[in-house]
Amino acid sequence: IHERFDLKGSLYKRTLGRRRGTPGLVHRDLDFIQTGRRITVRDGVLALKLREQIEKDAAFLKSQNVLDYSLLIGIHRRFDHTTSNHRERDAWIAYHTKDLEKML
């Protein structure tokens, strides 16, 4: 995993500041925003399932009087930007999306 993010949906003290970009550290919400990252789920059905699961998790945590919720994101750069690798990347994503759908 080349980059790690712990997203809580808050901006208050949610940055590594000068340590941003340091390998191995878990970055936070402001770091995610300031790097221009976005979360995109192209499959509408999968996006809806993911959103529903997050809502269920939040409801459960609320029922347990737990305030802490994080979305942990790991980014692994496996492919370069050549045309041939775009096809390979897309095939890899399609294959693993099916695994994610089974989990949801």
Coordinates of all heavy atoms in Angstrom, one line a residue, residues 47-104:
A47 N -22.2 1.3 -5.8 CA -22.2 2.6 -5.1 C -23.3 2.6 -4.1 O -23.1 3.0 -2.9 CB -22.2 3.8 -6.0
L48 N -24.5 2.2 -4.5 CA -25.6 2.3 -3.6 C -25.4 1.3 -2.4 O -25.7 1.6 -1.3 CB -26.9 1.9 -4.4 CG -28.2 1.9 -3.6 CD1 -28.5 3.3 -2.9 CD2 -29.4 1.5 -4.4
K49 N -24.9 0.1 -2.7 CA -24.7 -0.9 -1.7 C -23.6 -0.4 -0.7 O -23.8 -0.6 0.5 CB -24.2 -2.2 -2.3 CG -25.3 -3.0 -3.0 CD -24.8 -4.3 -3.6 CE -25.9 -5.1 -4.2 NZ -25.3 -6.4 -4.8
L50 N -22.6 0.2 -1.2 CA -21.6 0.8 -0.3 C -22.1 1.8 0.6 O -21.9 1.8 1.8 CB -20.4 1.3 -1.1 CG -19.2 1.8 -0.4 CD1 -18.6 0.8 0.5 CD2 -18.2 2.4 -1.3
R51 N -22.9 2.7 0.0 CA -23.5 3.8 0.8 C -24.5 3.2 1.9 O -24.5 3.7 3.0 CB -24.3 4.8 -0.1 CG -24.9 5.9 0.6 CD -25.7 6.8 -0.3 NE -26.2 8.0 0.4 CZ -25.6 9.2 0.4 NH1 -24.6 9.4 -0.4 NH2 -26.1 10.2 1.1
E52 N -25.3 2.2 1.5 CA -26.2 1.6 2.4 C -25.4 1.0 3.6 O -25.9 1.0 4.7 CB -27.1 0.6 1.7 CG -28.2 1.2 0.8 CD -28.9 0.2 0.0 OE1 -28.5 -1.0 -0.1 OE2 -29.9 0.6 -0.6
Q53 N -24.3 0.3 3.3 CA -23.5 -0.4 4.3 C -22.9 0.7 5.3 O -22.9 0.4 6.5 CB -22.4 -1.2 3.7 CG -21.7 -2.0 4.7 CD -22.6 -3.0 5.4 OE1 -23.3 -3.8 4.7 NE2 -22.7 -3.0 6.7
I54 N -22.5 1.8 4.7 CA -21.9 2.8 5.6 C -23.0 3.4 6.5 O -22.8 3.6 7.7 CB -21.3 3.9 4.8 CG1 -20.0 3.4 4.1 CG2 -21.0 5.2 5.6 CD1 -19.4 4.4 3.1
E55 N -24.2 3.5 6.0 CA -25.4 4.0 6.8 C -25.7 3.0 7.9 O -26.0 3.4 9.0 CB -26.6 4.3 5.9 CG -26.3 5.6 5.0 CD -27.4 5.8 4.0 OE1 -28.4 5.0 3.9 OE2 -27.4 6.9 3.3
K56 N -25.7 1.7 7.5 CA -26.0 0.7 8.5 C -24.9 0.7 9.6 O -25.2 0.6 10.8 CB -26.0 -0.7 7.9 CG -27.3 -0.9 7.0 CD -27.2 -2.3 6.4 CE -28.4 -2.5 5.4 NZ -28.2 -3.9 4.8
D57 N -23.7 0.8 9.2 CA -22.6 0.8 10.2 C -22.7 2.0 11.1 O -22.6 1.9 12.4 CB -21.2 0.9 9.5 CG -20.8 -0.3 8.7 OD1 -21.5 -1.4 8.9 OD2 -19.8 -0.2 8.0
A58 N -23.0 3.2 10.6 CA -23.2 4.4 11.4 C -24.4 4.2 12.4 O -24.3 4.6 13.5 CB -23.4 5.6 10.5
A59 N -25.5 3.6 11.9 CA -26.6 3.4 12.8 C -26.3 2.5 13.9 O -26.7 2.7 15.1 CB -27.8 2.9 12.0
F60 N -25.6 1.4 13.6 CA -25.1 0.5 14.6 C -24.3 1.2 15.7 O -24.5 1.0 16.9 CB -24.4 -0.7 14.0 CG -23.8 -1.6 15.1 CD1 -24.6 -2.5 15.8 CD2 -22.4 -1.6 15.3 CE1 -24.0 -3.3 16.8 CE2 -21.8 -2.3 16.3 CZ -22.6 -3.2 17.0
L61 N -23.3 1.9 15.2 CA -22.4 2.6 16.1 C -23.1 3.6 17.0 O -22.9 3.7 18.2 CB -21.2 3.3 15.4 CG -20.2 2.3 14.7 CD1 -19.3 3.1 13.8 CD2 -19.5 1.5 15.7
K62 N -24.1 4.3 16.4 CA -24.9 5.2 17.2 C -25.7 4.5 18.3 O -25.8 4.9 19.4 CB -25.9 5.9 16.2 CG -26.7 6.9 16.9 CD -27.6 7.7 16.0 CE -28.5 8.7 16.7 NZ -29.4 9.3 15.8
S63 N -26.2 3.3 17.9 CA -27.0 2.5 18.9 C -26.2 2.0 20.0 O -26.7 1.7 21.1 CB -27.7 1.3 18.2 OG -26.8 0.3 17.9
Q64 N -24.8 1.9 19.8 CA -23.9 1.4 20.8 C -23.2 2.6 21.5 O -22.3 2.4 22.3 CB -22.8 0.6 20.2 CG -23.4 -0.7 19.5 CD -24.1 -1.6 20.4 OE1 -23.6 -2.0 21.5 NE2 -25.4 -1.9 20.1
N65 N -23.7 3.9 21.2 CA -23.1 5.1 21.8 C -21.6 5.2 21.5 O -20.8 5.6 22.3 CB -23.3 5.2 23.3 CG -24.8 5.4 23.6 OD1 -25.5 6.1 22.9 ND2 -25.3 4.6 24.6
V66 N -21.2 4.8 20.3 CA -19.9 4.9 19.8 C -19.8 6.1 18.8 O -20.6 6.1 17.8 CB -19.4 3.6 19.2 CG1 -18.0 3.8 18.6 CG2 -19.4 2.5 20.2
L67 N -18.9 7.0 19.0 CA -18.9 8.2 18.1 C -17.9 8.0 17.0 O -18.0 8.7 16.0 CB -18.5 9.4 18.9 CG -19.5 9.9 19.9 CD1 -18.9 11.1 20.8 CD2 -20.7 10.4 19.2
D68 N -16.9 7.1 17.2 CA -15.8 7.1 16.2 C -16.2 6.2 15.0 O -16.6 5.1 15.1 CB -14.6 6.5 16.9 CG -13.3 6.7 16.1 OD1 -13.4 7.4 15.1 OD2 -12.3 6.3 16.6
Y69 N -16.0 6.8 13.8 CA -16.3 6.0 12.6 C -15.2 6.5 11.6 O -15.0 7.7 11.4 CB -17.7 6.3 12.0 CG -18.0 5.4 10.8 CD1 -18.6 4.2 11.0 CD2 -17.7 5.8 9.5 CE1 -18.8 3.4 9.9 CE2 -17.9 5.0 8.4 CZ -18.5 3.8 8.6 OH -18.8 3.0 7.5
S70 N -14.6 5.6 10.9 CA -13.6 5.9 9.9 C -13.8 5.1 8.7 O -14.2 3.9 8.8 CB -12.2 5.6 10.4 OG -11.8 6.5 11.5
L71 N -13.5 5.7 7.6 CA -13.4 4.9 6.3 C -11.9 4.9 6.0 O -11.2 5.9 5.8 CB -14.1 5.7 5.2 CG -14.0 5.0 3.8 CD1 -14.7 3.6 3.8 CD2 -14.7 5.9 2.8
L72 N -11.3 3.7 6.1 CA -9.9 3.5 5.8 C -9.7 3.2 4.4 O -10.3 2.3 3.8 CB -9.4 2.4 6.7 CG -9.6 2.6 8.2 CD1 -9.1 1.3 9.0 CD2 -8.9 3.8 8.7
I73 N -8.8 3.9 3.7 CA -8.5 3.8 2.3 C -7.0 3.5 2.1 O -6.2 4.2 2.7 CB -8.9 5.0 1.5 CG1 -10.4 5.3 1.7 CG2 -8.5 4.9 0.1 CD1 -10.9 6.6 1.0
G74 N -6.8 2.5 1.4 CA -5.4 2.2 1.0 C -5.2 2.3 -0.5 O -6.1 1.7 -1.2
I75 N -4.2 3.0 -0.9 CA -4.0 3.1 -2.4 C -2.7 2.4 -2.7 O -1.6 2.7 -2.2 CB -3.9 4.6 -2.7 CG1 -5.2 5.3 -2.4 CG2 -3.5 4.8 -4.2 CD1 -5.2 6.8 -2.6
H76 N -2.8 1.5 -3.7 CA -1.7 0.7 -4.2 C -1.5 1.0 -5.6 O -2.4 0.7 -6.4 CB -1.9 -0.8 -3.9 CG -0.8 -1.6 -4.5 ND1 0.5 -1.6 -4.0 CD2 -0.8 -2.5 -5.6 CE1 1.2 -2.5 -4.7 NE2 0.5 -3.0 -5.7
R77 N -0.4 1.6 -6.0 CA -0.2 2.0 -7.4 C 0.5 0.7 -8.1 O 1.6 0.5 -7.9 CB 0.7 3.2 -7.5 CG 0.0 4.4 -7.1 CD 0.9 5.7 -7.3 NE 2.0 5.8 -6.4 CZ 1.8 6.2 -5.1 NH1 0.7 6.6 -4.7 NH2 2.9 6.3 -4.3
R78 N -0.4 0.0 -8.8 CA 0.1 -1.2 -9.5 C 0.4 -1.0 -10.9 O 1.2 -1.7 -11.5 CB -1.0 -2.2 -9.3 CG -0.7 -3.6 -9.9 CD -1.7 -4.6 -9.6 NE -1.4 -5.8 -10.4 CZ -2.2 -6.8 -10.5 NH1 -3.3 -6.8 -9.8 NH2 -1.9 -7.8 -11.2
F79 N -0.2 0.0 -11.6 CA -0.1 0.1 -13.0 C 0.5 1.5 -13.4 O 0.3 2.5 -12.7 CB -1.5 0.1 -13.6 CG -2.2 -1.2 -13.3 CD1 -3.2 -1.2 -12.3 CD2 -2.0 -2.3 -14.0 CE1 -3.8 -2.4 -12.0 CE2 -2.6 -3.5 -13.7 CZ -3.6 -3.6 -12.7
D80 N 1.2 1.5 -14.5 CA 1.7 2.7 -15.0 C 0.6 3.3 -15.9 O -0.5 2.8 -16.0 CB 3.1 2.6 -15.7 CG 3.0 1.7 -16.9 OD1 2.0 1.5 -17.5 OD2 4.1 1.2 -17.3
H81 N 0.9 4.3 -16.6 CA -0.1 5.0 -17.4 C 0.0 4.7 -18.9 O -0.4 5.5 -19.8 CB 0.1 6.6 -17.2 CG -0.2 7.0 -15.8 ND1 -1.4 6.8 -15.2 CD2 0.6 7.4 -14.9 CE1 -1.3 7.2 -14.0 NE2 -0.1 7.6 -13.7
T82 N 0.5 3.5 -19.3 CA 0.5 3.2 -20.7 C -0.9 2.6 -21.1 O -1.6 2.1 -20.3 CB 1.6 2.1 -21.0 OG1 1.2 0.9 -20.3 CG2 3.0 2.6 -20.6
T83 N -1.2 2.7 -22.4 CA -2.4 2.2 -22.9 C -2.7 0.8 -22.6 O -3.8 0.4 -22.2 CB -2.5 2.5 -24.4 OG1 -2.3 3.9 -24.6 CG2 -3.9 2.1 -25.0
S84 N -1.7 -0.1 -22.8 CA -1.9 -1.5 -22.6 C -2.2 -1.8 -21.2 O -3.0 -2.7 -20.9 CB -0.6 -2.3 -23.0 OG 0.4 -1.9 -22.2
N85 N -1.7 -1.1 -20.2 CA -2.0 -1.3 -18.8 C -3.4 -0.8 -18.4 O -3.9 -1.2 -17.4 CB -0.9 -0.7 -17.9 CG 0.3 -1.6 -17.8 OD1 0.2 -2.8 -18.0 ND2 1.4 -1.0 -17.5
H86 N -3.9 0.2 -19.2 CA -5.3 0.6 -18.9 C -6.3 -0.6 -19.1 O -7.2 -0.8 -18.3 CB -5.7 1.8 -19.8 CG -5.1 3.1 -19.4 ND1 -5.3 3.6 -18.2 CD2 -4.3 3.9 -20.1 CE1 -4.7 4.8 -18.1 NE2 -4.1 5.0 -19.3
R87 N -6.1 -1.4 -20.1 CA -7.0 -2.5 -20.4 C -6.8 -3.5 -19.2 O -7.7 -4.1 -18.7 CB -6.7 -3.2 -21.7 CG -7.2 -2.4 -22.9 CD -7.1 -3.2 -24.2 NE -5.8 -3.4 -24.6 CZ -5.1 -2.5 -25.3 NH1 -5.6 -1.4 -25.7 NH2 -3.8 -2.8 -25.7
E88 N -5.5 -3.8 -18.9 CA -5.2 -4.7 -17.8 C -5.8 -4.2 -16.5 O -6.4 -5.0 -15.7 CB -3.7 -4.9 -17.6 CG -3.3 -5.9 -16.6 CD -1.8 -6.1 -16.5 OE1 -1.1 -5.5 -17.3 OE2 -1.4 -6.7 -15.5
R89 N -5.7 -2.9 -16.2 CA -6.2 -2.3 -15.0 C -7.7 -2.5 -15.0 O -8.3 -2.9 -14.0 CB -5.8 -0.9 -14.9 CG -6.4 -0.2 -13.6 CD -6.4 1.3 -13.7 NE -7.3 1.7 -14.8 CZ -7.2 2.8 -15.5 NH1 -6.2 3.6 -15.2 NH2 -8.1 3.1 -16.4
D90 N -8.4 -2.2 -16.1 CA -9.9 -2.2 -16.1 C -10.4 -3.7 -15.9 O -11.4 -3.9 -15.3 CB -10.4 -1.7 -17.5 CG -10.2 -0.2 -17.6 OD1 -9.9 0.5 -16.5 OD2 -10.3 0.4 -18.7
A91 N -9.6 -4.6 -16.5 CA -10.0 -6.0 -16.3 C -9.8 -6.4 -14.8 O -10.7 -7.1 -14.3 CB -9.1 -6.9 -17.2
W92 N -8.7 -6.0 -14.2 CA -8.5 -6.3 -12.8 C -9.6 -5.7 -11.9 O -10.1 -6.3 -11.0 CB -7.1 -5.7 -12.4 CG -6.7 -6.1 -11.0 CD1 -6.0 -7.2 -10.6 CD2 -7.0 -5.3 -9.8 NE1 -5.8 -7.1 -9.2 CE2 -6.4 -6.0 -8.7 CE3 -7.6 -4.1 -9.5 CZ2 -6.5 -5.6 -7.4 CZ3 -7.7 -3.7 -8.2 CH2 -7.1 -4.4 -7.2
I93 N -10.0 -4.4 -12.2 CA -11.0 -3.8 -11.4 C -12.4 -4.5 -11.6 O -13.1 -4.7 -10.6 CB -11.2 -2.3 -11.9 CG1 -9.9 -1.5 -11.4 CG2 -12.5 -1.7 -11.3 CD1 -9.9 -0.1 -11.9
A94 N -12.7 -4.9 -12.8 CA -14.0 -5.6 -13.1 C -14.0 -6.9 -12.3 O -15.0 -7.3 -11.7 CB -14.1 -5.8 -14.6
Y95 N -12.9 -7.6 -12.3 CA -12.8 -8.9 -11.6 C -13.0 -8.7 -10.1 O -13.8 -9.5 -9.5 CB -11.5 -9.6 -11.9 CG -11.2 -10.9 -11.2 CD1 -11.8 -12.1 -11.7 CD2 -10.5 -10.9 -10.0 CE1 -11.6 -13.3 -11.0 CE2 -10.3 -12.1 -9.3 CZ -10.9 -13.3 -9.8 OH -10.7 -14.4 -9.1
H96 N -12.3 -7.8 -9.5 CA -12.4 -7.6 -8.1 C -13.6 -6.9 -7.6 O -14.0 -7.0 -6.5 CB -11.1 -6.9 -7.6 CG -9.9 -7.8 -7.6 ND1 -9.1 -7.9 -8.7 CD2 -9.4 -8.6 -6.7 CE1 -8.2 -8.8 -8.5 NE2 -8.3 -9.2 -7.3
T97 N -14.3 -6.2 -8.5 CA -15.6 -5.6 -8.2 C -16.6 -6.7 -7.8 O -17.4 -6.5 -6.9 CB -16.1 -4.7 -9.3 OG1 -15.2 -3.6 -9.5 CG2 -17.5 -4.1 -9.0
K98 N -16.5 -7.8 -8.6 CA -17.4 -8.9 -8.3 C -17.2 -9.4 -6.9 O -18.2 -9.8 -6.2 CB -17.2 -10.0 -9.3 CG -17.7 -9.6 -10.7 CD -17.4 -10.7 -11.7 CE -17.7 -10.2 -13.1 NZ -17.3 -11.1 -14.2
D99 N -15.9 -9.5 -6.5 CA -15.6 -10.0 -5.1 C -16.2 -9.0 -4.1 O -16.8 -9.4 -3.1 CB -14.1 -10.1 -4.9 CG -13.5 -11.2 -5.7 OD1 -14.2 -12.1 -6.1 OD2 -12.3 -11.1 -5.9
L100 N -16.1 -7.7 -4.3 CA -16.6 -6.7 -3.4 C -18.2 -6.8 -3.3 O -18.7 -6.7 -2.3 CB -16.2 -5.3 -3.8 CG -16.7 -4.2 -2.9 CD1 -16.2 -4.4 -1.5 CD2 -16.1 -2.8 -3.5
E101 N -18.8 -7.0 -4.5 CA -20.3 -7.2 -4.5 C -20.7 -8.3 -3.7 O -21.7 -8.3 -3.0 CB -20.7 -7.3 -5.9 CG -20.7 -6.0 -6.7 CD -21.0 -6.3 -8.2 OE1 -20.9 -7.4 -8.7 OE2 -21.3 -5.3 -8.9
K102 N -20.0 -9.4 -3.7 CA -20.3 -10.6 -2.9 C -20.2 -10.3 -1.4 O -21.0 -10.8 -0.6 CB -19.3 -11.8 -3.2 CG -19.5 -12.4 -4.6 CD -18.5 -13.4 -4.8 CE -18.5 -13.9 -6.3 NZ -17.4 -14.8 -6.6
M103 N -19.3 -9.5 -1.0 CA -19.1 -9.1 0.4 C -20.3 -8.2 0.9 O -20.6 -8.3 2.1 CB -17.8 -8.4 0.6 CG -16.6 -9.3 0.4 SD -15.0 -8.5 0.5 CE -15.2 -6.9 1.2
L104 N -20.8 -7.4 0.0 CA -21.9 -6.5 0.4 C -23.1 -7.3 0.3 O -24.1 -7.2 0.8 CB -21.9 -5.3 -0.5 CG -20.6 -4.4 -0.4 CD1 -20.7 -3.3 -1.4 CD2 -20.5 -3.8 1.0

